[in-house]
Amino acid sequence: FNSANVNIIYLGEIITMNKHINKIFSFFIILFLVSCAENEVVETNETEESNIGPFYAEFLACTAGPDFSQENVTSMVESFNELNISESVWWVGGYAPIQGQNKYAGINGWWEIDWESKEAAEVAWKEWAADEDAMAWDESTNSIIDCDTSNILPWNYYTPGTSTMEADDWLSFTTSTFECNFNDGKTTDDLRANVQEFNKWVEENPSPGAYTYAIYLPDYDAEQDFLWLNWHGDMDTKVAGDKSWAETGQSIQAKFDETATCTGPDVYNSGQIYAPQSS
C-alpha cells in the first residue's frame, strides 16, 4: 500500500527534462515524522534531523517531440540549470513510465516541481513568463519535450518515515506510486494509524538499499483522496523491498486495505533535474 501519482519526465536511464516548467520544483525528502490530523497526514513533531510538512509540489504531464533523444535531453537539462531559476524552487525531478508497469505509458512522463510554498510558486511562474531567457529556452525545447503548463496539478505532501536516501540517490532512482481513495467511514486518522505500523515494519525490515516514501494530498479537485509514493535507490532495491513486504507485511497490508482502496503500483524510472545546491 504505497501510493502516489507523482510523476516527472525521465529519459530512459537519465531524467528527461520537461520544458514549460517554470522555476522548478523540489522535493528534498529527508526525514520527517507524520501523524495525521483531519485533512493532514502529519503533525508538526520535529526531530533534529526532520523537517515539517506539508510541502508543496506541482506536477506537469509531458510528451516527447520529434527531436527527443538522450543527447538533446541532456543538453536541455544543462541549459535549464543555467537559467535564472527562482530561489523558491527546492528541487525538480522527472518520472518516465516503465513500459508494462504503468498505466500512464502514453504520457511519456511527468515533471515535479517542489516549491517553498504555493504563494511563492504563483509569484515565480509570473517571473518565469516575464523572463526572456526562460521563454527562449522554453520555445527552443518544444520539439524535445513539451509539458502542459495549462493543467498544473498541485499537491501537498508529507514524508512520514525515516529516509535512507542520500543526496546522490536522488540523481537516479525508482518510483512506485499508488492512487488511493478512502473507504466509507475512513479518514486520515485511520491512515495515520496505518503509517505508524508501517514505520515500525520498515524499522524491523530495513531496505537493502536506499528507501523513503511520501503521502500526497491533492490541492485541487482530484479523483484520488491521496497518493502514496515509494522511492527506491534503484530497481533491485524495489524488487527486494516488494518481496520482503509480500512475505512479512501482509497483516499490515490488510489494515491498509480496510482504510483505502488503491490502484497501482505505477512504476517509473526517475531522476533529478535541478537542485539549487548542485546547479
Side-chain angles (χ1 to χ4, degrees):
F1 170 93
N2 301 309
S3 56
N5 219 4
V6 176
N7 313 315
I8 296 182
I9 238 177
Y10 171 63
L11 182 86
E13 298 178 348
I14 294 213
I15 348 163
T16 69
M17 317 292 327
N18 294 330
K19 40 152 290 184
H20 285 128
I21 302 189
N22 157 343
K23 323 284 171 142
I24 310 188
F25 44 68
S26 67
F27 66 94
F28 280 141
I29 334 260
I30 310 174
L31 302 170
F32 308 128
L33 282 179
V34 269
S35 58
C36 302
E38 196 64 28
N39 276 335
E40 289 187 347
V41 181
V42 224
E43 242 174 38
T44 56
N45 291 333
E46 182 178 11
T47 67
E48 184 179 355
E49 298 181 56
S50 331
N51 289 319
I52 300 173
F55 301 95
Y56 182 71
E58 295 178 335
F59 291 91
L60 294 80
C62 304
T63 55
D67 296 329
F68 182 88
S69 70
Q70 184 62 69
E71 181 180 1
N72 286 341
V73 168
T74 299
S75 176
M76 177 181 175
V77 172
E78 291 175 350
S79 60
F80 174 80
N81 276 263
E82 294 175 355
L83 295 174
N84 182 29
I85 299 172
S86 171
E87 293 182 357
S88 60
V89 172
W90 287 358
W91 188 88
V92 180
Y95 299 79
I98 294 179
Q99 187 173 5
Q101 300 185 59
N102 198 297
K103 68 182 179 183
Y104 292 102
I107 286 186
N108 295 138
W110 306 75
W111 275 55
E112 177 184 3
I113 306 176
D114 288 2
W115 299 90
E116 179 181 293
S117 67
K118 181 175 183 177
E119 293 72 23
E122 292 174 349
V123 171
W125 277 109
K126 293 178 181 178
E127 293 174 347
W128 175 264
D131 188 316
E132 293 184 1
D133 290 338
M135 292 298 96
W137 174 87
D138 191 15
E139 181 67 26
S140 68
T141 57
N142 279 340
S143 63
I144 302 172
I145 295 175
D146 190 8
C147 300
D148 185 7
T149 54
S150 67
N151 187 30
I152 298 173
L153 306 179
W155 299 80
N156 293 304
Y157 71 88
Y158 304 80
T159 54
T162 298
S163 170
T164 57
M165 297 280 284
E166 302 291 343
D168 288 348
D169 294 320
W170 294 110
L171 297 177
S172 177
F173 56 98
T174 298
T175 304
S176 297
T177 74
F178 295 78
E179 302 178 12
C180 302
N181 290 95
F182 287 114
N183 295 328
D184 289 345
K186 299 297 183 178
T187 67
T188 52
D189 288 333
D190 301 287
L191 180 59
R192 175 185 57 194
N194 297 148
V195 163
Q196 291 172 345
E197 289 198 58
F198 179 71
N199 285 341
K200 291 179 181 178
W201 179 86
V202 172
E203 291 178 5
E204 296 169 356
N205 302 270
S207 171
Y211 170 75
T212 193
Y213 71 99
I215 296 170
Y216 285 69
L217 302 178
D219 192 32
Y220 68 104
D221 187 16
E223 295 180 1
Q224 308 84 9
D225 290 330
F226 65 94
L227 305 173
W228 182 298
L229 276 70
N230 285 318
W231 291 305
H232 300 273
D234 54 35
M235 182 60 73
D236 289 342
T237 300
K238 173 197 175 303
V239 171
D242 289 348
K243 183 175 183 293
S244 178
W245 178 252
E247 293 174 347
T248 63
Q250 293 312 291
S251 61
I252 303 175
Q253 178 68 66
K255 294 179 181 180
F256 272 132
D257 292 342
E258 292 178 1
T259 297
T261 298
C262 301
T263 61
D266 291 314
V267 186
Y268 298 87
N269 286 322
S270 314
Q272 177 175 289
I273 293 170
Y274 168 83
Q277 78 281 9
S278 61
S279 65

